[in-house]
Amino acid sequence: MNADTTPGLVCAHHHLYSTLARGMPSPPSTPTGFLSVLEQVWWRLDTALDLDMVAASAELGALEALEAGCTAIIDHHESPNAIEGSLSVIADACAEVGVRVVTGYGVTDRHGPDGARRGLEENDRFLREGGRGLVGVHAAFTCSDDTLAGAADLAVRHGVGVHIHVAEGPDDAGAVDRLAELATDDWLLIHGVHLPDGHGLRGTIVHNPRSNMNNSVGYSRPVRFDNRVALGTDGIGADMLAEFQLAFVAARAADVTSSPDTAWSWLAAGWDLVPEARTDRVTWSYSPMEPWHLAYTPTVRAIDVDIDGEPALRNGVATRVDAIEIRARAAEQAARLHALL
Ligand SMILES: [Zn+2]
């Protein structure tokens, strides 16, 4: 490998449906904590989504990932009024741009048992039809025990893991007891901020430093976990070099002896989750692409990206889609979405 190339970067936790959230109208009142951020922002946004909005949101999210040298996204989707077919819409949008995606529908009981059942069915349909996915679950605190068990069982039947938010805020601190008997090594446990030390849950913990700071949920201090740790953005773009830099500086804020090699190992764990991304090639504007350099070089750009041996980005411009058209379509759908909020 040349000093200015890396494999394609992996975003281990994204919400492609949130790409159109930027510029949305202010919530009716200022959120004051984790649960009110969900209630006032995300749960208003996701209930308003239709499949045209989901498509435009995923296209723009995939394009922005590609432009940042991220070639594989592990997506967690929710659109409670447009569930059926939504995972295929996301997979198709990413395929068009050329970015790999592993998606799942975030099952929840917050819209009643019928909503949970339809969410499970969408995961099942997508996986049955050969989609690359995990079984999504929103979080233990919005699911009944039956729904959690149903998701775990569906994942086993398809030979995949479960992708679930765990102990992001204090409201979900009880997740560890409810998931202890269900979680397996192929689960993705997102956030883990409020997990106790020595929690014993099996799976990969995905650290999302920008989102955690943005929601003021606290620092998870990932070095305390025995689990594999990977990096995600929780829906705020897919610039994984920027997320690595934030992961490093957040670790430094807690412990001045923290090394960029540790934060880089979290980024590199993405290649264990989506191994195909190792075969993708990104040529960067900077050399050498090495943790101690990158921790202190804030503006490194992807120049060329090859995915699955084929060009997807040249001189910073997407080759398989028209980026201007995608941005125009996203702006149109964002205006429709924001008018509903
Ligand atoms: Zn999330």
Side-chain angles (χ1 to χ4, degrees):
M1 194 188 304
N2 296 323
D4 64 348
T5 65
T6 67
L9 303 184
V10 177
C11 178
H13 178 65
H14 201 333
H15 296 283
L16 285 166
Y17 74 79
S18 74
T19 314
L20 304 182
R22 305 158 197 173
M24 70 185 269
S26 305
S29 64
T30 303
T32 52
F34 167 64
L35 195 57
S36 63
V37 169
L38 291 177
E39 287 166 349
Q40 303 261 12
V41 179
W42 300 112
W43 293 351
R44 286 170 62 233
L45 181 97
D46 69 15
T47 51
L49 290 168
D50 63 25
L51 290 181
D52 287 340
M53 296 169 189
V54 170
S57 194
E59 271 181 343
L60 181 60
L63 174 68
E64 290 182 343
L66 174 67
E67 290 172 341
C70 171
T71 67
I73 293 167
I74 303 182
D75 178 59
H76 189 280
H77 180 64
E78 290 185 51
S79 52
N81 290 310
I83 297 177
E84 287 75 20
S86 58
L87 298 183
S88 298
V89 166
I90 290 169
D92 290 349
C94 291
E96 196 188 306
V97 177
V99 168
R100 305 173 189 279
V101 70
V102 180
T103 189
Y105 191 87
V107 174
T108 179
D109 280 293
R110 68 187 165 91
H111 304 285
D114 189 54
R117 181 189 57 75
R118 289 168 56 210
L120 280 174
E121 272 178 19
E122 176 62 5
N123 281 302
D124 188 29
R125 177 201 67 78
F126 182 68
L127 291 164
R128 230 180 25 239
E129 291 175 6
R132 179 84 196 274
L134 297 168
V135 173
V137 177
H138 171 251
F141 78 99
T142 68
C143 287
S144 67
D145 286 339
D146 279 354
T147 299
L148 292 177
D153 176 61
L154 181 63
V156 167
R157 277 193 276 130
H158 284 286
V160 299
V162 166
H163 182 179
I164 178 172
H165 298 100
V166 178
E168 176 176 5
D171 305 87
D172 194 34
V176 63
D177 295 333
R178 298 183 60 207
L179 300 177
E181 297 297 309
L182 298 173
T184 57
D185 292 338
D186 51 7
W187 280 40
L188 293 187
L189 314 172
I190 310 307
H191 298 291
V193 178
H194 295 266
L195 280 176
D197 293 348
H199 57 83
L201 286 183
R202 290 164 65 192
T204 298
I205 290 179
V206 181
H207 178 42
N208 304 268
R210 185 188 303 271
S211 167
N212 290 346
M213 289 185 229
N214 180 57
N215 288 332
S216 201
V217 292
Y219 182 50
S220 62
R221 206 165 64 80
V223 290
R224 69 195 172 96
F225 297 125
D226 296 330
N227 309 61
R228 174 163 58 200
V229 174
L231 276 188
T233 61
D234 203 19
I236 313 178
D239 185 339
M240 297 313 297
L241 282 187
E243 206 69 36
F244 150 76
Q245 288 162 340
L246 271 175
F248 165 62
V249 82
R252 266 293 166 103
D255 174 3
V256 73
T257 68
S258 300
S259 159
D261 293 323
T262 305
W264 191 263
S265 74
W266 301 335
L267 180 60
W271 293 318
D272 296 332
L273 301 175
V274 191
E276 312 93 286
R278 285 183 207 272
T279 68
D280 301 334
R281 276 290 162 269
V282 184
T283 306
W284 299 91
S285 61
Y286 184 83
S287 171
M289 291 296 288
E290 185 275 314
W292 279 96
H293 279 253
L294 295 172
Y296 297 105
T297 311
T299 48
V300 176
R301 294 177 314 280
I303 305 296
D304 295 335
V305 177
D306 286 15
I307 301 177
D308 211 10
E310 297 290 330
L313 190 84
R314 284 292 177 268
N315 292 316
V317 178
T319 58
R320 304 187 193 178
V321 286
D322 183 334
I324 293 170
E325 256 175 43
I326 285 182
R327 289 197 158 90
R329 198 151 50 231
E332 240 170 65
Q333 294 300 328
R336 283 187 61 230
L337 173 62
H338 297 175
L340 296 171
L341 300 176

